[in-house]
Structure formats: structure tokens, C-alpha cells
């Protein structure tokens, strides 16, 4: 069984030759979501502190954002910090909370030049003031941009998101603004943090882990998944193109035949 699973997983990552295949511009996924995993392991392999991996991982974000924009991806959602990540050592959490400020401080001019619109989803509770200030500034300054939407999932957890959506819907029912019979998938989707976004067409997860880790559980219902053993600091534009190449070879039936 383990041997079969190993073969299945290896088939999800195309060969280097496949990555050179020209992409069909008409079937580029509109929304790509990425679980950026492996920073800590990358650092450990090199005998460096975990924060060194996070620093290198931040550099990759810039490359992938530019490539996604170039390919015509409409939305790129990056899982930057989960509601569970607060359990990590305080020194690591403090460093992670500084990364949005550092990244946006350096890259905001380029994001403006490339017409990228920055967006945030997650709970604002517990975010340090300097983190919130940096993200809020980027969201405000890029609000009129019409290119790629760079959606940061920061202090985000899908179960928390859905619980909050259910609470809001329940309040509307209690107030008589909606009946329970009116609640359907569209109503729930309209109360999620991604209400104005399309659901992801493609999910990418790096580092060899094969799980969702409380990420967009509702929105990923019919997404295509692509897993790679490449650690996030080593992930590059070619890997990104490989993922989209595999995506374009799949038949999406959405429950049909």
C-alpha cells in the first residue's frame, strides 16, 4: 500500500522535461493557492536557524508573484501564517510577524509597477501593530490596481473562518433577515473571507506534505491539487510552471462524467 501511495505521489510532480511544454494561455488557472511549506526543514538541512529559512522563503514570494502575473493568473493566495502558528516559539512568531512589513516595504513599489492588488484574509486579532500597519498600507495603496490579486492568508484558519460565517448567518436568521430555508452553498460562500474571489482552481503545496492544514477547506472542494517535495525556499518559477502544466492536462468534471 505504501509503495502504491509513493508512486501516486511521485506522479503528481512532473519531470523537468514536462516543465518546458508551452502553456495554453486559455486554460491558465484563474486562482492559484499555495501552502508555502518547508522553510524550517530547509534551514535545518543547512545547519541554520529556522528564521533563516523564513527569510529565504520570503524572497521566493516575489519571484512567484511576478511569474503568476506574467502568466495571467488572476488571484494568487499565499498561506503566510495560520491560526495554529501561534503555537510556535515566540522568537519564531515574532520574526514571522516582521516578514510582511519587510516584504511589503521592499516590494510595494514593484507591486505597484506590476499593477498587483494586495488583499488580506484572516483575523486581525493578535496581529502586532507594525504588521497590521504594513499590510493595511499595501492594501490601501494598491486598491485601484487591476492586475493580479495577491491575497495573503495571514492569521488565517479555515475552521475559524467557517465558524464566523455560521455565526453571522445565524444572527441574520435571528433578526428575521433570512430564513433557515434560504441558507445554501451560495449564502455560506458569501459570508466567507473569499466572498468576492473565485474558488481556487489549483492548490500547490511544497515540502512533500500531503494535507490541507486547515487551509480553505470550503473553497478547495473542487480544486486540483499538486504536491512537490521541493522545499519552499528552493521553489522557483520553473516549479510553478510545472504545476500549471500538470493542471492543464487534467480533466475537471466537478462531479460529472
Amino acid at each position: 500500500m505504501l509503495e502504491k501511495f509513493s508512486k501516486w505521489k511521485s506522479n503528481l510532480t512532473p519531470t523537468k522535461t514536462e516543465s518546458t511544454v508551452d502553456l495554453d494561455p486559455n486554460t491558465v488557472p484563474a486562482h492559484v493557492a499555495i501552502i508555502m511549506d518547508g522553510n524550517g526543514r530547509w534551514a535545518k538541512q543547512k545547519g541554520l536557524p529556522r528564521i533563516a529559512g523564513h527569510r529565504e522563503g520570503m524572497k521566493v514570494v516575489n519571484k512567484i508573484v511576478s511569474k503568476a502575473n506574467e502568466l495571467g493568473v488572476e488571484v494568487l493566495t499565499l498561506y503566510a501564517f495560520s491560526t495554529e502558528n501561534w503555537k510556535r516559539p515566540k522568537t519564531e512568531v515574532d520574526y514571522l510577524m516582521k516578514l510582511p512589513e519587510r516584504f511589503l516595504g521592499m516590494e510595494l513599489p514593484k507591486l505597484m509597477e506590476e499593477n498587483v492588488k494586495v488583499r488580506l484574509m484572516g483575523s486581525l486579532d493578535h496581529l502586532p501593530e507594525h504588521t497590521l500597519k504594513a499590510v493595511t498600507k499595501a492594501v490601501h495603496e494598491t486598491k485601484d490596481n487591476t492586475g493580479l490579486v495577491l491575497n495573503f492568508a495571514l492569521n488565517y484558519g479555515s475552521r475559524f473562518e467557517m465558524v464566523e460565517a455560521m455565526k453571522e448567518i445565524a444572527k441574520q436568521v435571528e433578526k428575521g433577515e433570512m430564513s433557515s430555508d434560504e441558507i445554501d452553498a451560495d449564502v455560506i460562500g458569501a459570508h466567507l473571507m473569499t466572498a468576492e474571489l473565485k474558488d481556487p482552481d489549483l492548490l500547490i503545496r511544497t515540502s512533500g506534505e500531503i494535507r490541507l492544514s486547515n487551509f480553505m477547506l470550503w473553497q478547495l472542494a473542487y480544486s486540483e491539487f499538486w504536491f512537490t517535495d521541493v522545499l519552499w525556499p528552493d521553489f522557483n518559477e520553473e516549479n510553478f510552471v510545472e504545476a500549471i502544466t500538470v493542471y492543464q492536462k487534467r480533466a475537471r468534471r466537478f462531479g460529472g462524467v
Side-chain angles (χ1 to χ4, degrees), residues 79-223:
Y79 203 8
F81 190 89
S82 77
T83 50
E84 288 73 38
N85 286 158
W86 295 106
K87 301 174 185 176
R88 295 186 178 188
K90 185 178 184 302
T91 52
E92 183 176 354
V93 170
D94 288 346
Y95 187 81
L96 287 170
M97 286 294 105
K98 292 177 182 177
L99 287 181
E101 182 179 7
R102 293 184 179 183
F103 173 78
L104 294 170
M106 292 187 297
E107 302 298 332
L108 189 54
K110 184 176 181 181
L111 294 175
M112 289 295 297
E113 181 182 337
E114 296 186 351
N115 198 27
V116 173
K117 182 176 182 177
V118 177
R119 186 184 183 282
L120 176 68
M121 74 172 186
S123 172
L124 301 183
D125 295 341
H126 308 303
L127 290 181
E129 185 177 348
H130 61 85
T131 304
L132 191 55
K133 183 178 179 181
V135 175
T136 301
K137 177 184 177 183
V139 170
H140 176 72
E141 293 195 10
T142 63
K143 63 182 176 62
D144 295 324
N145 289 352
T146 57
L148 171 75
V149 174
L150 176 55
N151 183 38
F152 284 108
L154 186 62
N155 195 21
Y156 170 84
S158 187
R159 288 182 173 180
F160 170 81
E161 173 189 31
M162 287 191 281
V163 168
E164 291 302 301
M166 296 306 106
K167 287 180 179 178
E168 184 57 36
I169 293 172
K171 288 178 183 177
Q172 292 181 340
V173 172
E174 289 175 357
K175 294 178 180 178
E177 299 172 354
M178 178 190 306
S179 72
S180 59
D181 291 337
E182 293 179 281
I183 300 173
D184 58 15
D186 290 336
V187 169
I188 294 173
H191 286 79
L192 297 177
M193 296 175 183
T194 53
E196 70 271 23
L197 301 178
K198 300 175 181 177
D199 287 342
D201 298 294
L202 171 65
L203 169 76
I204 296 171
R205 179 163 188 159
T206 60
S207 88
E209 301 295 349
I210 303 178
R211 57 176 179 268
L212 294 182
S213 298
N214 197 20
F215 182 56
M216 301 182 83
L217 303 178
W218 177 276
Q219 298 90 333
L220 292 171
Y222 280 103
S223 303

Side-chain angles (χ1 to χ4, degrees), residues 6 9 23 28 49 53 62 64 70 91 96 102 114 120 122 176 206:
S6 178
K9 180 183 171 185
L23 295 177
V28 170
N62 178 40
I64 301 307
E70 174 191 326
T91 52
L96 287 170
R102 293 184 179 183
E114 296 186 351
L120 176 68
T206 60

